[in-house]
Structures are given as structure tokens and as C-alpha cells.
């Protein structure tokens, strides 16, 4: 079924369609939510701004990261001056900080046109139209989920790789985290809907999918199947054309051996695991309400590595949680040394209003937190460097990217991700074909640094041209107004829905680029 949506009045300015830009602050869930927001706007007739100032700027906020509110209001202050010179410009603020602060945003930034929460992303086009029609700001914050986000139209940022949400919300009560209060209790998608969305992505040319959830391995709790996540991995791995399957993030307390078996026995599941540790101190884990202890965490890593010897394991760690002593921190260093993480996201604890930890006694002085943070990052950097140097001489298959590697212009290297998720930069020798984003290059690692690997060789690259590369070619051609080259797979769509039986085309035929 194909449906053409005429652009509503709010999506038209004079004789042209209005443009939009979505700015994302925060985690991977926010990035995926922004794809939904972009899809909803395009389905309503807006077009993505390619140059110049957008008519509508949407800020998708985070309430977890430090200084999230300062970043938001700094951005809004900058946009206020632009809005005064840009007739008809609208500013919308959504996401976790909007859900948390509600009317505070309009009090501090009265020039904002729309404020919406995490539970009603699909309302954005209607709220923008209502704000223009009524000439006043619109505030809509729902306390429970209105429409499951994965049923909303989506404008994917990549033709070769995509996010697929399997659940929203969280049933845990970690004392440092405000996410459950902002995104609500866990709600699981039905397996058939998830698999249909993955199939739709593959049909559009994607060969890599990452499953998303606040706690992916508790998936199934809502419909009473504790083994549902392992089953989902196996079922997704059977989808023809899906080459790389990843997931983030699991919770150690809910991590079961059937998931390890599914990872090891499903070829499409990549040898990579991101599993937050948060602290190596059992006393601090208890204060955090993390319902596992360091021995259990290390035991999971042992079992994963026993089944998947080359797995790259990454983590999250918080330094300076209230009450953390030098002995507690020493326990974290001990567990980090034993874990041999490929990399770690390390955070200095800072108070998040509305969380139990914010009012706990014995808040650790900033100077102490900073000093411990520096010791932790020095240790982890040394481990990451050693683990990466152990990759030298290994043959890897690199899925080429259009976005990785900020220094490409300086080094003349191109970049992508190995199967274990490590970033690889590789040179294109003179006379060699250059792979497209989405193609796979087989190469041997020649050098290593703390945060990346290098593969420099004189012989031509060994390139496997893929359907994903074909999809990238088509998207590039269509974005330039050139007829897409014929291929055996369907052209990538600007907007897709979670259910593959439904398709939406934008009024101007804008393509995914």
C-alpha cells in the first residue's frame, strides 16, 4: 500500500516547502528518536535543510548527561537571535529534558514554539501547525506512551546500518538514573513487529542492525517470556541479507546464559558486547541499586569469552558516586584490570535533580572525583592500547562508513568498523578502487593506537561490493537529482515505517541521503 501525504499548511512557506533540522543531544536512544522525529516531519511535508537556516529547528534533549540544561539553553539563546531575523521560523524542544522540566523551558525561553515529551514524539507536526495557527507556544507532555515510537515514520541517517528499538522505558530503579521517570516502565514490542522492521531495513539495502533498549536482555518481561531476547537474536539472525547484528545495552543482573549461547551460535551476531559496570565496588553497586555484584559481572565476561574468544567488550563506569571511598575506587580499578575492556565510557558523577542519589550524604568533593577519574582513564587507556596492539596482524572485515574518522582529510585514509566494533582507518593505495560506504573491505591490521586500528598496505584493497553499497550509490544519485542506477534491490526510501506492509512517500519525493 502506498500513501502520498499532501503537505499541511504548516509545512509550506510561500511557494516552497518548509525545511527542518533536528539537533540531537544525548544517547543512542535519542539518536534513534531523532530519526523518528525527522520521519514524522517528512511524512507531514517538511524537507530536510541542506544549506542555510532551517525554518523549523527541533532540539531532542538529554537529561542524563552533565550540564544538559546549560547546553540546551545556550543553544536556544543562539537560536533566538536567528529567529528574530528569520520570518516564520519555529523552535521545538523535545526529549528527556522536556519531559522533566515541562513548563520551565517556556519560562526561560518564551520564544520556543513547541515543547513535547518522550511519550508523544508523533505529535510534533500537529503541534507546529497549531502553534502557527494560534500564534502561541504549544506545550504537550504526556505521562504515558501515546504511540509506540517504532510505528512512526523514520528518516534513517544511514543506508547501510540502522537502529531498531525493541523496547522503551525501564523497570530498574538505579539511584543515579532519571530515565525511568522520564521514559516510564518498560514496554516491549511484539517480536513479529521487530522482525518486520529489520526485514524492511534489509529490503532497503541495510546489512547491519543494532537492537536498542534501556535494558535489552529484560526484553519479554511484559509478555512473560524470560528467554525472549535470546530467541529474538536467533530469529533476527535468520533474516536473509542481514550480515551484522548488534545490541545495546544489557543489564548484568538480567544477563543469562541462553543469551550467550544465542550470541555464539548466531553467525550474524557480532563478537561485541557493551555491558555497563558502573562500579567495581559491591558496596557502591548496592547503593546504586544495581542488583548484581562484581563477581557476577566478571563471571559473565568469562562465559562470553569462553564461547566467543575474540569478543570486544566495552562498558560504562561512574566515578565519585556518593559515599565512594578510596577502597571502593580501588575495587573499580581491580575489576577494570581483570575485565580487559576494549574501551570504556567513563563519567564523573554529578548530581541529577530528581534522583535518589542527589540527596544522598557524603557527596564526593569535585577535586577527589577529578583525580580518581584521571587515574581510571589512564588505566583504561593503557588497557585499550594493549588490547588494540594485540590486533596487529589479524585479518578483519571492515564495514565502510561515511561518518567515521574525523581526520580522513588529513591522512587520506577511509574508515569503518570491524566485526567486533573497533574503528579501523585504512589507506587506499594508488590505483586501487575506493570502497563505498556499505561495502566490506578485508584487510590486515598493521598498526594500533588507543582508540583505533590502522591497516595500510601497498596492494589494492580487497573489496566486497554489497547491496548496502548499492543503496548508498542510489541515495547519493537521487540526492543530486540524478536518476538512480538500476540494481536488484529496491531503492532506499526517505521515510519508512516499522511495518513493511505500509509505505509513505513524501510529497516532494525527497530521498534518503
Amino acid at each position: 500500500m502506498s500513501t502520498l501525504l499532501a503537505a499541511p499548511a504548516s509545512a509550506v512557506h510561500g511557494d516552497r516547502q518548509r525545511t527542518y533540522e533536528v539537533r540531537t543531544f544525548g544517547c543512542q536512544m535519542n539518536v534513534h528518536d531523532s530519526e523518528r522525529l525527522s520521519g514524522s516531519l517528512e511524512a507531514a511535508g517538511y524537507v530536510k535543510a541542506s544549506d542555510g537556516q532551517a525554518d523549523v529547528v527541533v532540539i531532542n534533549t538529554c537529561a542524563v548527561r552533565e550540564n544538559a540544561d546549560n547546553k540546551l539553553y545556550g543553544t536556544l539563546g543562539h537560536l533566538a537571535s536567528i529567529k528574530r531575523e528569520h520570518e516564520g521560523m519555529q523552535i521545538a524542544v523535545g526529549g528527556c529534558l522536556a519531559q522533566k522540566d515541562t513548563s520551565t523551558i517556556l519560562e526561560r525561553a518564551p520564544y520556543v514554539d513547541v515543547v513535547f515529551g518522550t511519550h508523544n514524539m508523533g505529535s510534533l507536526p500537529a503541534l507546529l501547525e497549531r502553534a502557527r495557527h494560534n500564534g502561541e507556544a504549544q506545550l504537550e507532555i504526556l505521562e504515558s506512551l501515546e504511540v509506540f515510537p517504532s510505528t512512526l515514520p523514520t528518516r534513517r541517517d544511514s543506508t547501510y546500518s540502522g537502529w531498531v528499538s525493541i523496547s522503551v522505558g525501564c523497570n530498574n530503579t538505579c539511584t543515579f538514573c532519571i530515565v525511568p521517570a522520564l521514559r516510564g516502565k518498560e514496554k516491549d514490542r511484539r517480536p513479529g513487529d521487530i522482525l518486520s522492521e529489520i526485514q524492511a531495513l534489509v529490503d532497503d539495502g541495510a546489512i547491519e542492525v543494532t537492537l536498542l533498549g534501556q535494558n535489552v536482555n529484560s526484553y519479554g518481561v511484559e509478555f512473560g517470556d524470560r528467554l525472549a531476547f535470546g530467541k529474538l537474536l536467533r530469529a533476527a539472525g535468520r533474516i536473509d541479507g542481514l550480515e551484522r547484528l548488534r545490541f545495546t545495552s544489557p543489564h548484568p543482573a538480567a544477563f543469562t546464559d541462553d543469551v550467550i549461547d544465542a550470541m555464539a551460535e548466531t553467525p550474524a551476531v557480532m563478537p561485541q558486547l557493551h555491558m555497563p559496570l558502573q562500579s567495581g565496588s559491591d558496596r557502591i553497586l548496592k547503593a546504586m541499586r544495581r542488583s548484581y555484584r562484581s563477581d557476577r559481572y566478571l563471571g559473565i565476561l568469562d562465559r562470553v569469552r569462553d564461547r566467543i574468544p575474540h569478543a570486544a567488550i566495552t562498558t560504562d563506569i561512574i566515578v565519585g558516586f556518593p559515599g565512594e571511598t578510596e577502597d571502593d575506587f580501588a575495587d573499580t580499578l581491580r575489576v577494570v584490570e581483570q575485565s580487559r575492556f576494549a574501551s570504556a565510557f567513563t563519567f564523573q558523577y554529578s548530581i541529577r535533580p530528581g534522583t535518589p542519589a542527589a540527596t544522598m550524604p557524603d557527596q564526593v568533593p569535585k577535586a577527589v572525583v577529578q583525580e580518581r577519574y584521571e587515574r581510571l582513564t589512564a588505566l583504561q587507556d593503557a588497557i585499550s592500547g594493549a588490547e588494540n596492539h594485540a590486533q596487529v596482524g589479524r585479518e578483519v572485515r571492515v564495514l565502510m562508513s561515511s561518518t567515521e574518522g574525523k581526520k580522513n582529510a588529513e591522512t587520506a585514509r577511509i574508515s569503518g568498523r570491524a566485526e567486533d566494533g573497533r574503528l579501523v582507518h585504512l589507506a587506499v593505495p594508488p590505483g586501487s578502487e575506493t570502497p563505498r560506504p556499505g561495502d566490506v573491505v578485508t584487510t590486515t591490521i598493521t598498526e594500533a593506537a588507543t582508540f583505533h586500528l590502522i591497516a595500510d598496505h601497498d596492494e589494492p584493497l580487497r573489496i566486497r561490493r554489497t547491496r548496502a553499497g548499492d543503496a548508498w550509490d542510489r541515495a547519493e544519485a537521487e540526492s543530486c537529482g540524478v536518476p538512480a542506477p538500476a540494481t536488484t534491490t529496491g531503492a532506499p526510501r526517505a521515510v519508512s515505517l516499522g511495518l513493511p506492509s505500509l509505505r509513505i512517500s513524501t510529497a516532494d519525493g525527497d530521498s534518503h541521503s
Side-chain angles (χ1 to χ4, degrees):
M1 179 174 64
S2 178
T3 304
L4 188 66
L5 299 182
S10 62
V12 179
H13 182 75
D15 59 354
R16 66 173 179 84
Q17 288 180 275
R18 284 163 58 81
T19 61
Y20 77 90
E21 174 191 1
V22 178
R23 301 186 185 183
T24 308
F25 301 161
C27 66
Q28 291 161 319
M29 190 68 76
N30 281 45
V31 172
H32 186 46
D33 286 348
S34 290
E35 292 184 335
R36 305 290 180 191
L37 293 171
S38 297
S40 294
L41 289 170
E42 292 197 9
Y46 294 82
V47 295
K48 187 174 183 179
S50 57
D51 52 24
Q53 181 59 48
D55 298 309
V56 172
V57 177
V58 183
I59 304 175
N60 187 14
T61 64
C62 172
V64 176
R65 301 292 170 87
E66 188 173 7
N67 298 321
D69 54 346
N70 292 339
K71 185 173 183 180
L72 169 65
Y73 293 111
T75 301
L76 289 177
H78 174 69
L79 289 174
S81 60
I82 297 174
K83 184 178 180 181
R84 285 192 289 269
E85 305 297 325
H86 187 135
E87 182 185 357
M89 178 179 170
Q90 291 182 290
I91 302 171
V93 178
C96 291
L97 199 62
Q99 187 78 24
K100 172 177 171 286
D101 287 354
T102 59
S103 59
T104 303
I105 293 173
L106 290 179
E107 292 170 4
R108 293 185 59 176
Y111 45 84
V112 168
D113 298 276
V114 172
V115 178
F116 62 102
T118 59
H119 297 309
N120 61 321
M121 292 187 297
S123 301
L124 177 59
L127 292 171
L128 289 167
E129 185 168 8
R130 196 186 308 161
R132 291 189 74 198
H133 181 270
N134 295 346
E136 62 182 15
Q138 299 298 307
L139 169 65
E140 184 173 287
I141 305 291
L142 302 184
E143 294 304 315
S144 59
L145 198 64
E146 180 182 58
V147 176
F148 203 98
S150 293
T151 65
L152 298 174
T154 303
R155 188 188 201 282
R156 303 282 181 182
D157 286 338
S158 169
T159 54
Y160 48 86
S161 181
W163 311 97
V164 173
S165 178
I166 69 171
S167 64
V168 295
C170 183
N171 293 338
N172 294 315
T173 58
C174 302
T175 54
F176 57 82
C177 185
I178 200 168
V179 166
L182 302 181
R183 291 190 177 266
K185 292 291 186 181
E186 180 174 326
K187 293 190 71 64
D188 296 330
R189 293 179 72 190
R190 305 305 298 181
D193 291 344
I194 296 168
L195 296 173
S196 292
E197 184 175 358
I198 297 172
Q199 183 68 65
L201 277 170
V202 172
D203 289 346
D204 281 349
I207 60 175
E208 178 181 70
V209 164
T210 301
L211 304 179
L212 281 180
Q214 298 297 150
N215 177 10
V216 291
N217 55 332
S218 69
Y219 173 74
V221 65
E222 194 178 24
F223 49 85
D225 185 353
R226 294 182 179 274
L227 303 180
F229 185 59
K231 295 175 183 176
L232 181 65
L233 289 178
R234 293 179 188 275
R238 289 193 290 268
I239 293 177
D240 187 36
L242 179 63
E243 299 184 13
R244 298 187 175 201
L245 180 62
R246 307 182 192 274
F247 59 88
T248 192
S249 292
H251 192 294
F255 207 102
T256 51
D257 286 352
D258 68 290
V259 172
I260 299 175
D261 292 340
M263 293 170 63
E265 296 165 8
T266 308
V269 176
M270 293 293 95
Q272 175 191 15
L273 174 64
H274 181 81
M275 187 166 67
L277 169 65
Q278 308 301 8
S279 175
S281 164
D282 290 349
R283 193 180 71 85
I284 295 300
L285 287 172
K286 182 177 181 181
M288 289 177 167
R289 292 186 196 153
R290 301 284 290 179
S291 46
Y292 57 89
R293 299 297 176 257
S294 59
D295 283 351
R296 172 173 171 76
Y297 186 95
L298 290 168
I300 294 170
L301 300 196
D302 287 343
R303 294 195 298 278
V304 168
R305 286 176 169 141
D306 180 61
R307 297 296 312 277
I308 313 169
H310 294 298
I313 298 174
T314 57
T315 196
D316 299 332
I317 302 171
I318 297 173
V319 178
F321 187 81
E324 182 188 76
T325 66
E326 183 61 29
D327 286 344
D328 293 321
F329 180 65
D331 282 340
T332 294
L333 296 181
R334 172 185 58 82
V335 174
V336 167
E337 285 209 57
Q338 289 181 251
S339 298
R340 307 298 299 176
F341 297 118
S343 64
F345 295 96
T346 51
F347 304 92
Q348 297 186 41
Y349 174 79
S350 60
I351 291 175
R352 297 292 185 271
T355 63
T359 56
M360 285 182 175
D362 301 322
Q363 299 282 331
V364 182
K366 172 67 175 175
V368 175
V369 177
Q370 179 67 35
E371 189 273 337
R372 290 176 184 169
Y373 175 80
E374 290 173 1
R375 276 193 281 159
L376 173 63
T377 54
L379 172 62
Q380 181 55 53
D381 285 355
I383 293 171
S384 296
E387 292 296 305
N388 277 354
H389 275 91
Q391 306 301 309
V392 174
R394 273 193 72 193
E395 185 174 271
V396 296
R397 288 180 286 274
V398 183
L399 175 59
M400 303 312 301
S401 170
S402 60
T403 57
E404 305 281 9
K406 295 181 179 178
K407 296 182 180 179
N408 287 357
E410 299 173 21
T411 63
R413 294 189 180 105
I414 56 177
S415 306
R417 295 278 172 178
E419 290 177 318
D420 64 7
R422 285 184 168 93
L423 178 63
V424 181
H425 301 307
L426 52 92
V428 181
S432 176
E433 179 186 2
T434 299
R436 306 162 299 177
D439 285 341
V440 176
V441 173
T442 300
T443 187
T444 301
I445 301 302
T446 56
E447 300 176 51
T450 303
F451 303 113
H452 63 264
L453 304 174
I454 293 174
D456 284 352
H457 298 278
D458 294 331
E459 64 271 15
L461 296 178
R462 290 181 284 165
I463 303 170
R464 177 167 63 85
R465 294 174 66 85
T466 68
R467 297 180 306 103
D470 293 342
W472 187 84
D473 270 347
R474 290 194 301 274
E476 286 294 290
E478 292 176 6
S479 69
C480 297
V482 178
T487 62
T488 57
T489 55
R493 300 167 176 86
V495 181
S496 64
L497 293 175
L499 301 178
S501 58
L502 300 176
R503 298 296 183 198
I504 288 184
S505 303
T506 55
D508 69 332
D510 185 37
S511 299
H512 192 335
S513 60

